[in-house]
Amino acid sequence: MGHDPEEGDGVEHWPGEGYRPAADEPFMNPRQLEYFRNKLLTWKESILKEAQGTLAQLQVDSMREPDITDRASSETDWSIELRTRDRQRKLISKIDAALRRIEDGEYGYCEVTGEPISLGRLEARPIATMTVEAQERHERNEKVSRDE
């Protein structure tokens, strides 16, 4: 008899590992750290692949556009691409920073309060550096200083 994945054992399985961090185990134990490290590395790899594919496509497209209208459209594509690449570059630097925090033993803890960041938040945003409460406080303070 095989295990029926429909039977709720309360654990959502992660491909390859069959593991997902849970609240009933020590926070940021080696297994959790490895889980998030793999998640971050996989994310980074997919961003890099996507960037390579888009760049290659733009180069192919620009080779076959002698028409001035097509060229103008292509320049718009390039500006969108440059903005996208800038966002990707910033995201990769945040991923790299998160990987460094894993190496330094600081990953998963709020940089403001030192409290653990919830597993749910880290699952959804593995580059998070603050608890939701600290992040909201930070954003409120930023808004106040922008409005002054």
Side-chain angles (χ1 to χ4, degrees):
M1 294 286 286
H3 176 73
D4 181 3
E6 295 302 309
E7 287 175 21
D9 58 357
V11 178
E12 192 175 333
H13 293 285
W14 192 49
E17 282 286 312
Y19 166 78
R20 187 165 228 115
D24 62 357
E25 60 185 333
F27 187 70
M28 289 304 131
N29 67 63
R31 200 170 180 199
Q32 281 188 4
L33 288 171
E34 188 58 24
Y35 172 84
F36 284 110
R37 199 171 78 75
N38 284 330
K39 190 175 179 78
L40 288 159
L41 288 170
T42 303
W43 189 14
K44 181 178 174 177
E45 202 175 294
S46 76
I47 292 169
L48 291 170
K49 264 194 202 124
E50 180 190 331
Q52 280 178 323
T54 311
L55 187 59
Q57 189 55 53
L58 280 171
Q59 287 169 338
V60 166
D61 290 348
S62 68
M63 299 294 200
R64 349 170 252 227
E65 288 171 357
D67 181 297
I68 194 89
T69 313
D70 289 343
R71 233 186 347 259
S73 161
S74 179
E75 284 170 16
T76 302
D77 292 348
W78 271 105
S79 75
I80 290 168
E81 169 63 10
L82 289 172
R83 280 199 307 273
T84 302
R85 288 178 75 83
D86 189 48
R87 271 197 306 274
Q88 289 170 334
R89 189 180 47 76
K90 287 175 181 164
L91 195 50
I92 284 174
S93 85
K94 287 179 179 182
I95 291 171
D96 287 340
L99 290 166
R100 276 194 303 278
R101 286 194 305 279
I102 287 175
E103 296 306 313
D104 297 342
E106 297 168 6
Y107 184 81
Y109 294 91
C110 180
E111 65 183 13
V112 176
T113 65
E115 293 170 19
I117 299 170
S118 75
L119 290 173
R121 177 161 168 76
L122 289 170
E123 196 63 68
R125 187 167 174 76
I127 55 175
T129 60
M130 293 184 242
T131 60
V132 173
E133 298 76 22
Q135 181 76 44
E136 286 170 351
R137 224 177 4 260
H138 173 74
E139 286 169 7
R140 270 196 310 274
N141 292 342
E142 265 191 0
K143 184 183 179 329
V144 166
S145 63
R146 267 199 316 269
D147 292 346
E148 287 174 348

